[in-house]
Amino acid sequence: MKKTIVIIDDHLLIASALSSIISSFNQFEVLYICENGMDFQEKLNHKKVPDIVLLDVNMPIMDGFETAKWMHKTHPQILIMALSMQNDDSSLIKMIKSGAKGYMLKNIQPLDLEKALESLVEKGRYFPEWASKKIFENVCADEKELKEIKLSDRETEFLKYTTTEMNYKQISEKMFCSPRTIENYRDSLFEKLQLRTRVGLAVYAIKNGYSI
C-alpha cells in the first residue's frame, strides 16, 4: 500500500511540481495540496489524514512552525518533512523543536527526494548530510553517555538559550555577562559534548530537556 502525502506550500507551482514528481514514485501518492497550515486544518475536516506532510517553513497566515506544533499535538502519527529554500540553522532548530522528523531543501533532485521519503518512512527521520553529520550522528551516537556529563549552572543556562533565535550578543545581555564569557561557555560545551556547531548544541538541549 502506498504511503499518502499532503503538500503544504504557498508556492503553488512548487507544490504542483513536487506532486507531479511524487506521482512517479511507486511507494507514494499525493492526496492533496494546501496553501498554508490553516488550509490544511480546514481540509482535514472532510479529507483523509495523510501518512506524511511535506511542510513549507515560510508561509503566510499559518507558517510551518505553527503548523508543525499543531500537528505534533493533534496528529502525532503524521511524519513531518520540512521544506525550505535555505539550509539555515535557525529554521532547522525551530522545525525540529516544533516536531519535524525531516528537513530537506526545495532544490533536491527527484531521485534524492524519493530516497528522503523512503528514509523518513523506514527510519522515522530524514535530515540532509549537511545537518545529519554535524548534528544527529554526534548527538545520538551515545546519548546516555552525554547525559552523564556534568554541566555548570551557567553552561546549562546558556545551553537553553541556544534553542532560541537570539544571537550570542543577545544571549550575553540576557545572562548579564560579556560576549567573551558566552564564547567561553560555548567552547566549553563544544569540548564536553563533542559538538562543533550551535545547531548541535541546540539539538542536544532539545533532546535532553534543556530547551526554554
Side-chain angles (χ1 to χ4, degrees):
M1 183 179 294
K2 291 186 176 183
K3 291 296 182 180
T4 55
I5 295 174
V6 164
I7 300 171
I8 306 177
D9 195 322
D10 63 312
H11 296 96
L12 296 182
L13 282 176
I14 293 177
S16 296
L18 280 172
S19 181
S20 296
I21 293 170
I22 293 170
S23 67
S24 69
F25 301 158
N26 293 326
Q27 300 180 48
F28 304 95
E29 65 174 328
V30 176
L31 295 177
Y32 47 93
I33 294 171
C34 302
E35 294 185 36
N36 52 63
M38 190 73 71
D39 186 25
F40 179 55
Q41 287 182 343
E42 293 172 356
K43 286 182 178 176
L44 272 184
N45 291 327
H46 56 274
K47 290 182 178 287
K48 187 177 178 180
V49 176
D51 299 309
I52 300 168
V53 162
L54 299 186
L55 180 61
D56 188 16
V57 173
N58 298 307
M59 296 179 292
I61 303 177
M62 187 174 180
D63 65 18
F65 307 115
E66 292 180 85
T67 306
K69 287 178 182 177
W70 176 79
M71 277 193 284
H72 186 61
K73 185 177 295 184
T74 60
H75 297 82
Q77 78 279 14
I78 298 177
L79 294 170
I80 302 171
M81 176 80 82
L83 299 172
S84 180
M85 294 294 292
Q86 298 180 325
N87 59 346
D88 63 292
D89 295 355
S90 177
S91 293
L92 173 63
I93 294 169
K94 284 189 68 177
M95 287 307 298
I96 293 173
K97 191 174 180 180
S98 298
K101 300 299 182 183
Y103 196 100
M104 68 181 186
L105 300 180
K106 291 185 178 181
N107 63 355
I108 192 170
Q109 295 295 317
L111 181 60
D112 293 328
L113 171 60
E114 186 174 18
K115 289 180 179 179
L117 292 172
E118 289 173 351
S119 178
L120 185 66
V121 171
E122 294 170 6
K123 300 178 182 178
R125 64 179 175 87
Y126 169 79
F127 291 89
E129 195 162 338
W130 64 267
S132 61
K133 283 190 175 180
K134 293 181 180 179
I135 305 172
F136 284 92
E137 288 181 2
N138 288 331
V139 174
C140 300
D142 194 347
E143 189 173 1
K144 182 178 178 181
E145 180 180 341
L146 288 176
K147 285 183 177 179
E148 295 174 353
I149 296 172
K150 291 185 179 180
L151 306 180
S152 70
D153 290 341
R154 294 291 277 176
E155 285 175 340
T156 299
E157 184 180 2
F158 167 71
L159 192 58
K160 291 180 180 180
Y161 285 123
T162 63
T163 67
T164 70
E165 294 184 316
M166 288 188 287
N167 58 37
Y168 288 136
K169 184 176 184 299
Q170 291 170 325
I171 293 174
S172 70
E173 293 171 353
K174 196 76 174 177
M175 292 181 64
F176 302 104
C177 62
S178 68
R180 179 59 184 168
T181 300
I182 290 298
E183 290 177 3
N184 290 337
Y185 293 146
R186 178 201 62 194
D187 294 343
S188 175
L189 288 170
F190 279 167
E191 183 175 351
K192 287 183 178 181
L193 304 179
Q194 299 180 18
L195 299 170
R196 293 182 295 172
T197 67
R198 175 171 174 170
V199 177
L201 292 176
V203 173
Y204 172 81
I206 292 167
K207 290 181 68 65
N208 290 279
Y210 291 122
S211 59
I212 293 177

